[in-house]
């Protein structure tokens, strides 16, 4: 269940780029978070009745955790620093879909016993000690549990690679916490060294991403290659260059998301200029629900251009 997505290809600047369609994993439980949370789906957790997490109220992980909670028959308690007014009233996007799934999203700025704690501290100091039925997932699924589902993704890529009889392959995906990229590359280093992972940092800079890799796997020989753009881009901000490349790629018939994929495709563009003869498999990590809130912002900002 929730595995074996197809591989398509698109024409990008005259080059063929393969696309692993993890956006098609499942209607409600798809993409990157579904891979990272697969361990929770496929294992039993006796005594657990509550899933606890935290992060942005517009994050893909909120929606994916709400879908996981439904599949497991759990309640989801999701802690967040603040919920913006326009997020609260919107009927679209990750927050609205999670609420529809029955998620309990807690705005910590309204909680009386917060005492200046971060979401993580609040969960660790206040929530978990009082609740033996809670299962806690760190922000964005950045944990060793994610290895299981990501290695499954790696196995699918290896079997596709062998069927296509390719000699070498670069697997490209944009990173947030880097969890997906580092566990993917770990699998290939151990099992298939003709496949290599290249990624870029979307949240924070390259040093931050390396640090994130190291927290999960200290041996740097397992770490993926990181490429970067000339210009710095801040996560969650709108850039005309992002909107342009998003539309260009979208014209090839596959819709990508607007937070990570624009920078991802900009890096692929540069990578193909530097390495014109490489075969690239881009991982579509889902997240399309977020476009319902991101796209109107882009359309308003760049309506005239
Ligand atoms: C969460 C997410 C990422 C980042 O994944 P990491 O494993 O944290 O690097 C990338 N793309 C999409 C669509 C996501 O939802």
């Amino acid at each position: 269940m929730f595995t074996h997505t197809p591989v398509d290809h698109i024409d990008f600047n005259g080059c063929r780029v393969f696309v692993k369609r993890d956006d098609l994993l499942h209607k409600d439980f798809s993409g990157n978070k579904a891979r990272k949370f697969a361990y929770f789906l496929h294992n039993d957790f006796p005594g657990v009745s509550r899933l606890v997490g935290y992060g942005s109220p517009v994050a893909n992980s909120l929606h994916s955790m709400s879908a996981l909670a439904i599949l497991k028959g759990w309640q989801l308690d999701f802690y967040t620093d603040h919920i913006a007014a326009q997020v609260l009233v919107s009927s679209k996007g990750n927050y609205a879909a999670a609420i529809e799934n029955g998620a309990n999203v807690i705005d910590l700025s309204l909680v009386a016993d917060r005492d200046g704690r971060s979401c993580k501290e609040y969960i660790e100091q206040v929530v978990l000690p009082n609740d033996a039925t809670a299962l806690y997932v760190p922000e964005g699924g950045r944990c060793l549990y994610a290895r299981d589902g990501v290695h499954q993704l790696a196995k699918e890529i290896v079997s596709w690679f062998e069927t296509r009889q390719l000699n070498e392959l670069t697997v490209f995906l944009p990173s947030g916490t880097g969890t997906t990229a580092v566990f993917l590359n770990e699998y290939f280093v151990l099992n298939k060294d003709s496949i290599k992972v290249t990624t870029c940092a979307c949240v924070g800079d390259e040093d931050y991403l390396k640090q994130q890799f190291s927290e999960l796997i200290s041996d740097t020989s397992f770490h993926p290659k990181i490429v970067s753009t000339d210009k710095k881009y801040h996560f969650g901000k709108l850039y005309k260059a992002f909107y342009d490349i998003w539309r260009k790629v979208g014209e090839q018939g596959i819709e990508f998301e607007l937070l990570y994929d624009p920078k991802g495709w900009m890096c692929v563009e540069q990578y193909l200029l530097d390495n014109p003869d490489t075969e690239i498999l881009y991982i579509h990590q889902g997240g399309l629900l977020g476009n319902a809130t991101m796209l109107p912002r882009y359309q308003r900002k760049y309506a005239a251009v």
Side-chain angles (χ1 to χ4, degrees):
M1 200 175 22
F2 305 108
T3 58
H4 296 91
T5 50
V7 174
D8 287 341
H9 58 84
I10 61 171
D11 179 336
F12 183 61
N13 294 344
C15 300
R16 177 185 62 183
V17 178
F18 295 105
V19 179
K20 175 76 171 161
R21 300 295 305 274
D22 265 11
D23 54 317
L24 304 178
L25 267 181
H26 180 263
K27 182 171 71 64
D28 298 311
F29 194 57
S30 78
N32 171 300
K33 305 303 179 290
R35 293 290 190 181
K36 291 198 282 190
F37 297 158
Y39 179 86
F40 300 109
L41 193 62
H42 296 131
N43 288 275
D44 284 331
F45 296 84
V48 168
S49 58
R50 212 149 73 96
L51 194 60
V52 175
Y54 70 94
S56 158
V58 295
N60 297 328
S61 54
L62 167 57
H63 176 244
S64 302
M65 285 182 82
S66 74
L68 173 65
I70 290 191
L71 292 164
K72 298 293 286 191
W74 295 334
Q75 163 71 37
L76 170 64
D77 286 351
F78 191 89
Y79 290 82
T80 185
D81 275 320
H82 175 66
I83 309 174
Q86 77 261 27
V87 173
L88 281 173
V89 299
S90 176
S91 60
K92 293 184 204 149
N94 287 310
Y95 178 80
I99 296 296
E100 208 162 291
N101 283 346
N104 182 24
V105 183
I106 301 128
D107 182 341
L108 258 198
S109 68
L110 307 174
V111 171
D113 61 349
R114 177 175 192 176
D115 288 338
R117 284 181 273 234
S118 68
C119 289
K120 182 167 179 283
E121 289 163 345
Y122 189 85
I123 290 170
E124 287 170 355
Q125 296 169 16
V126 181
V127 178
L128 300 179
N130 296 310
D131 188 356
T133 68
L135 177 68
Y136 169 48
V137 179
E139 185 173 26
R142 191 176 65 81
C143 56
L144 293 173
Y145 291 121
R147 179 181 261 138
D148 248 50
V150 175
H151 280 190
Q152 168 62 32
L153 168 60
K155 284 176 202 162
E156 290 172 31
I157 293 169
V158 169
S159 85
W160 171 82
F161 174 85
E162 286 171 349
T163 313
R164 298 270 330 187
Q165 299 185 313
L166 300 176
N167 294 322
E168 275 187 334
L169 181 69
T170 297
V171 171
F172 191 94
L173 71 167
S175 281
T177 64
T179 307
T180 315
V182 80
F183 286 144
L184 263 185
N185 201 55
E186 173 192 48
Y187 186 90
F188 298 135
V189 169
L190 293 171
N191 300 288
K192 196 82 195 170
D193 62 6
S194 42
I195 306 181
K196 296 200 163 52
V197 175
T198 297
T199 189
C200 63
C202 296
V203 183
D205 62 9
E206 288 72 31
D207 286 336
Y208 164 83
L209 184 58
K210 280 184 199 157
Q211 202 181 313
Q212 299 283 298
F213 291 158
S214 295
E215 280 182 29
L216 293 165
I217 302 179
S218 57
D219 183 346
T220 56
S221 65
F222 290 112
H223 293 185
K225 179 173 166 191
I226 303 174
V227 293
S228 53
T229 46
D230 293 335
K231 191 172 142 38
K232 291 240 173 297
Y233 297 95
H234 295 279
F235 190 61
K237 280 204 179 174
L238 310 192
Y239 298 95
K240 174 127 192 325
F242 279 10
Y243 192 35
D244 288 344
I245 201 155
W246 178 83
R247 283 187 298 176
K248 179 162 106 178
V249 177
E251 278 164 12
Q252 300 301 315
I254 300 177
E255 184 185 357
F256 288 85
E257 60 83 62
L258 279 156
L259 271 175
Y260 298 90
D261 286 325
K263 185 157 179 189
W265 283 103
M266 284 169 85
C267 289
V268 169
E269 188 159 64
Q270 186 58 47
Y271 193 86
L272 282 169
L273 287 175
D274 299 339
N275 310 273
D277 296 322
T278 38
E279 300 281 12
I280 294 185
L281 175 67
Y282 189 99
I283 316 258
H284 192 321
Q285 303 185 88
L288 294 177
L289 206 53
N291 287 3
T293 41
M294 284 298 282
L295 187 55
R297 292 177 63 204
Y298 267 108
Q299 286 166 335
R300 275 194 300 275
K301 185 160 180 182
Y302 300 111
V305 273

